[in-house]
Amino acid sequence: MTGTNLTAENTKNENNARECVGTAPKSFKIIGTGSCVPSRVVTNDDLTVFLDTSDEWIRSRSGIEQRHICTTETTSDLAIGAAKNALENANTTPDEIDMILCATISGEYICPSMAALVQRALGAQCPCVDLSAACTGWIYLMDTAAAFFARGGIRKMLIIGAEAMSRIVNWHDRSTAVLFGDGAGAAVLEPGENYLASSFVTAGGDEVIAIPTKNGISPWFEKEEKLPLVYMDGQETYKFAVSNLPKRVDEVLAKAGLREEDLDWVVPHQANKRIIDSASRRLKGVPADHFCVNLQKYGNTSAASIPLVLDEWNRAGKFQEGELIVMVAFGGGLSSAACLVRW
Ligand code: ACO
């Protein structure tokens, strides 16, 4: 995906949801958001019971104070909860949804897709597919949605980032276990002109972040099995993140012909407060308190992290119509991506 720049012609033709069918709308507008987290809260102190760590280390190195962790909930339960919440917020019924896209790396099934599980639970009837791009999954959802809207024939679309990272975190590895949490966020989209630009970079490889799947039971396969858990070189990920976040933001602004000062909000991937602070120091045109942060409550929820914070800010009424918001993420792949939307 090379990214899109949809600003130029987007000011014509105010499509409404019904009229767009069979035509070629330019992009979309977010008309509702939702989220869902498991009820069990695990504090940093809770982790010290079985890990050689401390609340002070976790707070000072990452900014995380607690995370929500599944006990009886599955990843799809969270996805379904966020989807229902977003539909309600968008005043939309499942029969109006023409496509469901879901991003996850921690679903309880490889097949059926998470999106198909959500479809069944909602009683919707539409095509469904999952995307896998780890923590940048949400930006890929937005861009894929934009491409489908540009093709035409979609009235409303539901996109969901859902993760139960607790299923795949190595709870014996203090350098990764303390960072992750579970949750889901969703948005309902309709044809509009509010998706302005995007930028994607992937530096492919499994050296820095890898989550293997199980080998299976083939009697012929000879390679050693790695446990299907998160492996992460934290320092290399950190370096990739601090250099790539500001670059992606610069790129989407350049594509849209805008400056940092034009931005109202930055919604970054919620992995580490130090990474967000570093990006904030680089992007001087945006006030530090206009970087949306809620990682202290949820930790890193991978593909769910941006929609979780988006929903919190939306429900708190902090985004005003017409404001410019950049969403920017990094993670497994290695990948990084940003997109620019008008609220
Ligand atoms: N508690 C106490 N000490 C710890 C812990 C812990 N939980 N984890 C590591 N340490 C120790 C290390 O052993 C090391 O000790 P040593 O100096 O005696 O060897 C020391 O703390 C410092 O470790 P560093 O790795 O240098 O710590 P750093 O300051 O780099 O912070 C961190 C580590 C928080 C992981 C940071 O590198 C980071 O946030 N990286 C980015 C991770 C990320 O954002 N991932 C997102 C993508 S994930 C995805 O896509 C699935």
Side-chain angles (χ1 to χ4, degrees), residues 106-235:
S106 57
E108 64 266 37
Y109 295 106
I110 289 175
C111 171
S113 67
M114 182 70 65
L117 294 170
V118 172
Q119 184 223 41
R120 160 73 74 88
L122 295 180
Q125 290 182 326
C126 59
C128 300
V129 72
D130 285 1
L131 300 177
S132 170
C135 305
T136 56
W138 182 257
I139 314 290
Y140 276 91
L141 285 179
M142 299 276 281
D143 217 58
T144 306
F148 274 109
F149 276 109
R151 193 186 68 172
I154 302 273
R155 292 169 301 166
K156 290 186 183 177
M157 193 184 298
L158 177 61
I159 60 171
I160 308 155
E163 305 282 14
M165 294 303 288
S166 60
R167 302 178 73 242
I168 54 173
V169 156
N170 181 351
W171 290 103
H172 302 298
D173 175 10
R174 67 177 183 172
S175 69
T176 54
V178 303
L179 302 174
F180 293 96
D182 302 339
V188 179
L189 317 175
E190 71 173 21
E193 301 169 356
N194 298 34
Y195 188 74
L196 305 180
S198 63
S199 177
F200 294 83
V201 165
T202 298
D206 62 358
E207 304 84 5
V208 180
I209 300 175
I211 308 170
T213 53
K214 288 184 81 64
N215 273 357
I217 56 167
S218 164
W220 297 280
F221 194 69
E222 295 177 1
K223 275 186 97 172
E224 190 189 339
E225 177 146 12
K226 283 188 187 163
L227 284 173
L229 300 172
V230 175
Y231 298 84
M232 182 178 71
D233 179 334
Q235 287 188 358

Side-chain angles (χ1 to χ4, degrees), residues 24-336:
K26 299 299 183 212
S27 68
F28 62 79
K29 172 179 188 191
I30 297 174
I31 59 165
T33 61
S35 60
C36 180
V37 292
S39 53
R40 174 68 191 264
V41 171
V42 174
T43 64
N44 292 344
D45 281 336
D46 292 335
L47 298 177
T48 64
V49 174
F50 61 95
L51 279 174
D52 180 14
T53 189
S54 65
D55 177 54
E56 197 281 328
W57 192 95
I58 302 168
R59 275 177 199 256
S60 62
R61 299 290 173 120
S62 72
I64 298 164
E65 297 168 14
Q66 60 171 51
R67 69 285 296 138
H68 289 248
I69 297 289
C70 291
T71 51
T72 57
E73 306 89 345
T74 62
T75 321
S76 62
D77 289 336
L78 303 179
I80 292 161
K84 288 181 173 170
N85 199 220
L87 288 175
E88 198 184 345
N89 187 244
N91 200 18
T92 294
T93 51
D95 59 294
E96 296 176 81
I97 298 295
D98 286 331
M99 178 165 278
I100 302 174
L101 303 178
C102 190
T104 186
I105 53 168
S106 57
E108 64 266 37
Y109 295 106
I110 289 175
C111 171
S113 67
M114 182 70 65
L117 294 170
V118 172
Q119 184 223 41
R120 160 73 74 88
L122 295 180
Q125 290 182 326
C126 59
C128 300
V129 72
D130 285 1
L131 300 177
S132 170
C135 305
T136 56
W138 182 257
I139 314 290
Y140 276 91
L141 285 179
M142 299 276 281
D143 217 58
T144 306
F148 274 109
F149 276 109
R151 193 186 68 172
I154 302 273
R155 292 169 301 166
K156 290 186 183 177
M157 193 184 298
L158 177 61
I159 60 171
I160 308 155
E163 305 282 14
M165 294 303 288
S166 60
R167 302 178 73 242
I168 54 173
V169 156
N170 181 351
W171 290 103
H172 302 298
D173 175 10
R174 67 177 183 172
S175 69
T176 54
V178 303
L179 302 174
F180 293 96
D182 302 339
V188 179
L189 317 175
E190 71 173 21
E193 301 169 356
N194 298 34
Y195 188 74
L196 305 180
S198 63
S199 177
F200 294 83
V201 165
T202 298
D206 62 358
E207 304 84 5
V208 180
I209 300 175
I211 308 170
T213 53
K214 288 184 81 64
N215 273 357
I217 56 167
S218 164
W220 297 280
F221 194 69
E222 295 177 1
K223 275 186 97 172
E224 190 189 339
E225 177 146 12
K226 283 188 187 163
L227 284 173
L229 300 172
V230 175
Y231 298 84
M232 182 178 71
D233 179 334
Q235 287 188 358
E236 284 305 313
T237 308
Y238 193 95
K239 281 188 239 166
F240 178 81
V242 295
S243 70
N244 277 275
L245 279 191
K247 278 187 205 160
R248 295 296 85 74
V249 175
D250 288 347
E251 285 161 8
V252 289
L253 287 172
K255 283 184 183 186
L258 296 166
R259 301 164 309 143
E260 275 174 29
E261 289 71 18
D262 298 319
L263 280 177
D264 294 293
W265 299 96
V266 177
V267 184
H269 173 44
Q270 307 288 305
N272 187 320
K273 183 66 165 51
R274 285 157 60 210
I275 292 172
I276 295 172
D277 289 345
S278 160
S280 165
R281 285 193 294 274
R282 258 280 278 101
L283 299 166
K284 292 191 180 66
V286 187
D289 61 356
H290 280 230
F291 280 70
C292 308
V293 177
N294 67 359
L295 61 81
Q296 69 282 4
K297 293 188 282 188
Y298 303 112
N300 178 352
T301 56
S302 187
S305 94
I306 288 180
L308 264 180
V309 75
L310 203 64
D311 185 47
E312 183 173 331
W313 255 246
N314 180 29
R315 281 166 194 270
K318 294 185 185 175
F319 298 140
Q320 302 304 313
E321 195 168 346
E323 285 189 330
L324 276 172
I325 302 174
V326 73
M327 304 179 204
V328 59
F330 64 91
L334 294 172
S335 58
S336 79

